[in-house]
Amino acid sequence: MPDPAIRSFWKNFIDGKWVEGARGRRLALENPATAEPLAEIARAEIEDVDRAVRAARKTFDSGTLRHMKPDRRGTLLFRIAEELDALCDEIGLTECLDNGKRISAARAQAGESARYFRYYGGLTDKLEGRTIPLGEEYVDYTRFDPYGVSAQVVPWNYPLQLAVRSVSCALATGNSVVVKAPVLCPLSVCLLGEACQRAEVPEGALNILCGRGSDVGKALVDHPATDHVVFTGSVPTGRAILRQAAE
């Protein structure tokens, strides 16, 4: 039986909604300290990758986030930080049971995650280009533009913290994101989605999938609408992603 201390069933987050996987399958999660059943999560499939990337692309192309005034994007990130603070106890318990960390360490990670959003929230209106003097007849300047759709593959050891480290930066700079949560312990990343939903992040700007790396992770990196890849994990998988990105 699932552990009654946390929710028994979790879903993927696509286009601002919590949804089942395309084929209705589930992944069983266990408490690493006891090897007892913990909960179940909807299993993302290749079809879900396409749905999530298309949602991210639609939001990016609409300009909802990237055309938002920088100070408003900063305010949005501060709201996410506040929601993470509000979820601190739930994140701590969930990460403890799902990942095996001490509950004090898990709660601390929730606080650290909120600080990432505050850090990048403070940077949103300070990302500036520059002019380059090349002579009287020239005008030369630089500007920063977002990549587009950022695919982010998160490992099992610090799932929330490593997800937040790249998600916060991506949203601060106007990108849309699809996160593949670690299949062994995805639940704290799901709570990041809940914090963003509560903070009213535009639908499609953040999408969260939980599925096997061999199919979902590969499909996410391979997707033609993916513009940018963030990965933390093993050397062999990193090499495979590099080859896929090169193609």
Side-chain angles (χ1 to χ4, degrees), residues 161-174:
Q161 192 170 341
L162 290 176
V164 162
R165 184 175 67 180
S166 49
V167 168
S168 57
C169 181
L171 295 181
T173 49

Side-chain angles (χ1 to χ4, degrees), residues 108-119:
Q109 281 186 50
E112 290 165 7
S113 297
R115 285 197 291 275
Y116 273 110
F117 278 100
R118 290 190 173 97
Y119 176 83

Side-chain angles (χ1 to χ4, degrees), residues 211-229:
R212 304 287 183 187
S214 56
D215 49 16
V216 169
K218 184 177 186 302
L220 181 57
V221 174
D222 276 344
H223 200 287
T226 294
D227 301 299
H228 176 258
V229 178

Side-chain angles (χ1 to χ4, degrees), residues 182-227:
V183 72
L184 291 177
C185 48
L187 301 186
S188 61
V189 182
C190 292
L191 289 171
L192 167 62
E194 187 164 315
C196 289
Q197 188 177 38
R198 291 183 184 184
E200 300 182 340
V201 170
E203 294 181 355
L206 174 66
N207 305 270
I208 298 170
L209 304 172
C210 182
R212 304 287 183 187
S214 56
D215 49 16
V216 169
K218 184 177 186 302
L220 181 57
V221 174
D222 276 344
H223 200 287
T226 294
D227 301 299

